[in-house]
Amino acid sequence: MNLLRALLPRLQRIERAVDAVIQPLVFAGMAALIATITLQIVSRVLFSAVGWTEEVSRFLLIWITFLGATLAFQRGRHIAVTFVVEALPRRLQRLARIAALLVALGFMITLVVIGYEYMHAQSFQRSASLRLSMTYIYAVIPLTAALMSWYALVDLVEVLVRDPDDIDSGSVNAEEPPA
């Protein structure tokens, strides 16, 4: 337990660093998506449609969705039904949180493996207009699942080292990270 307590600040620093990379990526992706869709609308109205804009928009939306889900997971913003856990005594709340994190961690690790296999299975495909390997599009699945696994692992360590009487009903990282 003392090892986990000593390791926790390092894990949290890495978590903040990863968050500091993902957040601007999602913002840039949203800006690029808006620009691409605007170009698509303007080109259809004033000229002939620019063919690649629909494909780029679709790929940006896929990446933004998965990366945004990663940020939501890290901040405890995904939908959760907590009224049953909140009705439990504090120590059972902690056990329920640990169980939930272990299930999430198992699911994410499974998703990394399955996502990687799917990415490889689709690697021969090329996108229609850009001729981009679909490996780059499907890579978001194992990548974001690995990131969510990391976040779940850090949350698990936080719950394990925290005093059981200090548990709250929300996520360990429910607050916004410092800007």
Side-chain angles (χ1 to χ4, degrees):
M1 206 49 94
N2 287 334
L3 175 65
L4 289 179
R5 211 177 295 280
L7 193 59
L8 184 59
R10 290 186 187 125
L11 297 175
Q12 290 171 328
R13 257 194 316 276
I14 294 168
E15 185 178 48
R16 284 190 301 274
V18 170
D19 184 70
V21 171
I22 295 174
Q23 205 169 356
L25 276 175
V26 171
F27 179 80
M30 288 295 290
L33 180 63
I34 291 168
T36 305
I37 291 174
T38 302
L39 174 62
Q40 184 178 32
I41 293 168
V42 169
S43 71
R44 282 187 182 189
V45 171
L46 300 178
F47 317 107
S48 63
V50 179
W52 54 265
T53 55
E54 183 180 342
E55 196 169 271
V56 168
S57 298
R58 187 177 331 118
F59 296 158
L60 283 170
L61 185 60
I62 291 167
W63 271 80
I64 291 167
T65 300
F66 277 88
L67 289 172
T70 302
L71 289 174
F73 184 85
Q74 189 264 342
R75 295 179 181 152
R77 298 282 172 87
H78 280 286
I79 296 171
V81 180
T82 59
F83 69 91
V84 174
V85 175
E86 290 170 357
L88 296 172
R90 294 265 188 215
R91 293 192 188 274
L92 288 179
Q93 286 182 19
R94 180 174 187 249
L95 289 176
R97 178 83 175 128
I98 290 169
L101 286 168
L102 288 172
V103 168
L105 187 58
F107 177 79
M108 292 304 160
I109 291 170
T110 302
L111 190 57
V112 169
V113 172
I114 292 171
Y116 183 77
E117 290 171 357
Y118 189 72
M119 180 184 76
H120 262 309
Q122 301 301 322
S123 64
F124 68 92
Q125 285 186 344
R126 299 238 172 240
S127 65
S129 64
L130 295 176
R131 306 304 303 157
L132 182 68
S133 172
M134 293 303 287
T135 300
Y136 299 118
I137 308 310
Y138 291 118
V140 74
I141 298 169
L143 172 69
T144 54
L147 290 172
M148 285 190 247
S149 297
W150 173 258
Y151 289 145
L153 182 65
V154 173
D155 284 352
L156 183 61
V157 170
E158 287 175 347
V159 170
L160 288 173
V161 301
R162 179 190 288 161
D163 181 14
D165 293 328
D166 250 358
I167 193 82
D168 64 353
S169 59
S171 170
V172 175
N173 290 323
E175 71 277 349
E176 290 286 328

